[in-house]
Amino acid sequence: MHGLINRAIERFVRDTYGRDVWGAVMRDAGLEFTEFEPMLSYESDYTRLVLDALAAKLNRPLTETLEDIGTYLVSHPKVEALRRLLRFGGPTFTEFLHSLDDLPARAQLAVPDLHLPELELREHGADVYSVRCRGDLPGFGHVIVGLLRALADDYGALALLEHKGMRDGCEIIDVRLLAAEHTCGRTFDLAARAV
């Protein structure tokens, strides 16, 4: 597993719950180090051990914790750069949804050895979609649910999202867009701001 994914989990825990909780998670996971290096690769088992230890430490279902990680990746000020990269997917939430298929490839332009799960958007009618998520880390679809919820808010859209489980080796996420322009959303400019 790429270190950037593990580092994102680490930053989520440290920024949300503190360094002490992160230290306890790493001890409970049985790992002999305390931080992930973002540009290294790690055994996939490490990620699963950390996520299981985190869910146990927080006494919450892993699925909820994964959704919180997805929300964090869009909404926390310390990861604003990722929010900006995601918002380049389009000026509206609908256009962003249609850019999801290209997201893993766009990520590889920045980090060639980063392999995100494959994403496929399917349209089932007016404002009704499903996202198919296929990857090596089971449960990653829950991260996508949290990310999409936060991005819908960011764009000012009102969307109902539901993780529907596994089908044909893919996690399925139902997306029902209730209002494309529900609120004004968060301010976003494509041009970089002068300091």
Side-chain angles (χ1 to χ4, degrees):
M1 187 66 58
H2 199 284
L4 279 176
I5 293 172
N6 292 317
R7 184 61 170 222
I9 297 166
E10 176 185 338
R11 292 202 49 195
F12 161 75
V13 175
R14 288 171 51 180
D15 291 343
T16 307
Y17 300 103
R19 288 182 176 271
D20 291 342
V21 170
W22 175 249
V25 165
M26 292 299 279
R27 282 190 301 278
D28 293 349
L31 300 178
E32 297 180 4
F33 53 92
T34 58
E35 295 181 353
F36 285 101
E37 294 295 328
M39 298 313 286
L40 295 180
S41 290
Y42 295 87
E43 294 180 37
S44 295
D45 291 347
Y46 288 4
T47 307
R48 178 55 60 196
L49 288 169
V50 167
L51 289 172
D52 289 343
L54 176 59
K57 180 71 175 169
L58 299 178
N59 195 27
R60 296 182 66 209
L62 180 57
T63 56
E64 291 179 12
T65 303
L66 290 170
E67 284 189 30
D68 289 348
I69 292 170
T71 300
Y72 165 86
L73 292 173
V74 174
S75 61
H76 199 279
K78 289 188 177 179
V79 286
E80 177 68 19
L82 179 58
R83 173 190 173 245
R84 288 189 58 75
L85 285 173
L86 291 168
R87 287 293 300 259
F88 276 99
T92 68
F93 184 64
T94 303
E95 289 182 43
F96 172 79
L97 286 174
H98 285 282
S99 77
L100 277 176
D101 295 10
D102 300 328
L103 186 60
R106 281 185 285 151
Q108 282 190 311
L109 288 174
V111 184
D113 58 342
L114 177 62
H115 299 285
L116 294 179
E118 295 174 32
L119 300 172
E120 179 187 356
L121 181 74
R122 293 188 176 179
E123 195 164 354
H124 303 287
D127 299 326
V128 179
Y129 307 91
S130 64
V131 177
R132 298 171 60 84
C133 178
R134 180 190 309 269
D136 296 335
L137 184 60
F140 196 84
H142 292 283
V143 174
I144 299 299
V145 170
L147 186 134
L148 291 175
R149 261 197 198 111
L151 277 167
D153 289 345
D154 204 74
Y155 278 103
L158 180 60
L160 181 62
L161 294 109
E162 184 179 3
H163 191 286
K164 301 299 279 188
M166 294 286 290
R167 192 175 331 139
D168 301 326
C170 296
E171 292 179 74
I172 308 297
I173 303 158
D174 280 352
V175 180
R176 186 172 303 272
L177 186 58
L178 303 176
E181 296 180 11
H182 181 65
T183 64
C184 61
R186 286 175 58 195
T187 303
F188 178 75
D189 293 320
L190 287 177
R193 295 176 185 233
V195 178

